């Protein structure tokens, strides 16, 4: 919906140094984006936008760090890794059973 589109928009705007220094920073959008990362419906998209906004020269970087944005991104990445590993284990276990019956 609208929140996901806003995250896409911020992610694109982050590529412009001028936008980073004016619109995004002045509106405190870094902190607001961190709030959006709490919402499962837009979490991935909000994390992608945050990754574009924490570059060294970004004035929004400090907003995101103060709002705990880096910790949220790390938690999301850990969850994704765990889900991937669990999926791999399930796939591997199923292949083992299929291979055992084929011989």
């Amino acid at each position: 919906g609208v929140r996901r589109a806003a995250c896409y928009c911020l992610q694109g705007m982050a590529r412009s140094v001028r936008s980073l220094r004016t619109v995004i920073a002045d509106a405190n959008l870094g902190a607001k984006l961190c709030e959006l990362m709490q919402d499962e419906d837009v979490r991935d998209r909000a994390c992608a936008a945050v990754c574009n906004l924490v570059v060294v020269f970004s004035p929004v970087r400090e907003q995101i760090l103060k709002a705990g944005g880096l910790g949220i991104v790390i938690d999301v990445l850990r969850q994704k890794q765990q889900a991937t590993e669990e999926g791999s284990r399930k796939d591997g276990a199923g292949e083992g059973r299929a291979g055992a019956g084929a011989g």
Side-chain angles (χ1 to χ4, degrees), residues 1 7 13 15 17-18 25 28 32 40 53 58 71 77 83 94 101:
C7 292
M13 288 176 66
R15 294 184 182 125
V17 174
R18 186 174 185 190
N28 197 32
K32 291 177 179 147
E40 259 186 66
L53 291 169
S58 171
L77 290 173

Side-chain angles (χ1 to χ4, degrees), residues 11-50:
Q11 186 177 7
M13 288 176 66
R15 294 184 182 125
S16 164
V17 174
R18 186 174 185 190
S19 292
L20 278 172
R21 296 188 189 279
T22 56
V23 178
I24 297 172
D26 292 347
N28 197 32
L29 294 178
K32 291 177 179 147
L33 197 54
C34 290
E35 291 174 21
L36 284 175
M37 286 194 297
Q38 303 294 335
D39 182 346
E40 259 186 66
D41 293 337
V42 295
R43 181 176 291 147
D44 290 350
R45 187 55 32 214
C47 284
V50 163

